[in-house]
Amino acid sequence: MTRRYTACCVLTCAILGGSFIVSRSIVDYPILTGQTLRYALAALALFALAGRGRPRVHPSGRELARLALVAATGLVAFNVLLLFALRHADPAVIATIVGVSPLLLALLGPVQERRRPAPRLLGAAAVAVAGAALVSGFGAHDAAGLAAAVGVLGCETAFSLLAAPLLPRLGPVRVSAWSTALAVPLLLLLLPLSGERPRLPDPSEAAAIAFLGLVLTVVAFVCWYSGVAGLGLERAGVYLALVPVVALLTAAVVDGAWPGPAEVAGVALVGAGLVLAARGVSPGVLRRIAWQVPRSSSAPAASPASPGNSASSSASTTGASTSARTPT
């Protein structure tokens, strides 16, 4: 069962890390318009999946408020801050800062569950974060760009942290469906303030938006929340360090941008962190701390179970998660 949830986390990171190939194809399309279309399409698909579950579960008022916070921070604010940060800092700067999210989840996840962080998982997260920083590198920035990148980090973390308590009752599909649906009206409210001029996408842009909506959002969100549900926040969070590694490998294959010695060392550190995380908790402790997905969960039967999400060309993105989530 643990392998199943680990596979969900790895698949999520593989999708996020490789998504820049698609994201850069719509770099000239109005960003907020594209995100609105993406999340609207994803919400339709996710609610169709959720409708297959029995019995049907609806969020309470308090749960809806928390889902709205997931949408406002992990999806909407993430993208707004990311766009601002990219104007004031190199993508590598943002990726490195947002790459700290595994360490934050290792610290804050247990606090939210009212228990002490596991020292070995903290160590594993720190090693993985150091490796991700080597892979991503650093670059030019100003104070505004640095502050915005820290804000992106907070939104990335909130995407998982706020959603985790909802998973036992609602399940990964419904949490993903409601958060993406609630993001749509929030984005529509921002459109008049952004100065964007919405337009219909051309065929290639429409195909890219469909990929971002159906694969990067539906598949990645559901798999990520499934991994969080099964492994716990801090253990699943360590796998986020894989996102820049996958982006690096994808760039090497697609663009011929072969990694240097520092990047290779970073990949080795990320691998060491994942090995430490895998050995960091005994099965008995894992069963006590993991969020248990109910059998009535609306996870699609064919998927491993069943977020981070972003939108930039050079920094790995998920429409709610640079890559450095992003689950959300």
Side-chain angles (χ1 to χ4, degrees):
M1 186 63 73
T2 300
R3 290 180 181 178
R4 174 183 177 183
Y5 297 128
T6 298
C8 286
C9 293
V10 172
L11 177 59
T12 300
C13 295
I15 292 172
L16 299 186
S19 68
F20 78 91
I21 298 174
V22 176
S23 296
R24 68 186 181 184
S25 69
I26 57 168
V27 68
D28 295 325
Y29 189 76
I31 296 294
L32 293 182
T33 304
Q35 294 300 304
T36 303
L37 293 174
R38 167 194 171 180
Y39 289 132
L41 177 62
L44 290 173
L46 286 162
F47 275 114
L49 285 175
R52 296 168 55 192
R54 296 291 186 273
R56 295 188 179 182
V57 180
H58 300 285
S60 65
R62 182 173 294 183
E63 288 169 334
L64 272 176
R66 197 174 185 96
L67 287 162
L69 283 175
V70 174
T73 57
L75 306 187
V76 177
F78 178 96
N79 285 289
V80 172
L81 287 171
L82 176 63
L83 291 173
F84 182 84
L86 286 169
R87 295 172 187 162
H88 295 267
D90 289 345
V93 176
I94 304 168
T96 298
I97 291 175
V98 179
V100 177
S101 59
L103 192 55
L104 278 185
L105 290 176
L107 284 168
L108 299 180
V111 171
Q112 179 171 259
E113 299 169 19
R114 297 182 179 180
R115 57 184 175 80
R116 293 181 180 180
R120 186 173 294 186
L121 284 177
L122 283 176
V127 171
V129 164
L134 280 175
V135 171
S136 300
F138 217 68
H141 64 279
D142 58 22
L146 200 61
V150 172
V152 175
L153 169 62
C155 292
E156 170 77 4
T157 305
F159 176 73
S160 299
L161 201 64
L162 290 171
L166 303 173
L167 293 171
R169 197 179 84 84
L170 297 179
V173 173
R174 289 187 178 88
V175 169
S176 300
W178 281 99
S179 58
T180 53
L182 290 168
V184 173
L186 294 175
L187 287 164
L188 289 175
L189 287 173
L190 287 177
L191 272 176
L193 304 176
S194 69
E196 273 192 15
R197 294 184 177 180
R199 64 173 174 83
L200 291 175
D202 62 31
S204 64
E205 290 169 338
I209 290 170
F211 174 88
L212 294 176
L214 298 177
V215 179
L216 190 56
T217 304
V218 174
V219 177
F221 279 29
V222 168
C223 283
W224 175 247
Y225 282 145
S226 296
V228 169
L231 299 179
L233 268 171
E234 70 270 44
R235 199 170 183 214
V238 177
Y239 286 92
L240 289 174
L242 279 174
V243 177
V245 173
V246 175
L248 177 73
L249 296 176
T250 304
V253 172
V254 175
D255 298 330
W258 299 104
E263 293 166 323
V264 172
V267 172
L269 278 177
V270 170
L274 294 177
V275 170
L276 284 174
R279 297 177 178 178
V281 181
S282 68
V285 173
L286 179 60
R287 282 193 293 270
R288 291 198 297 272
I289 68 175
W291 293 98
Q292 297 300 315
V293 181
R295 292 184 180 274
S296 60
S297 164
S298 51
S303 75
S306 188
N309 10 8
S310 84
S312 87
S313 55
S314 327
S316 308
T317 111
T318 92
S321 127
T322 314
S323 163
R325 97 151 304 188
T326 51
T328 244

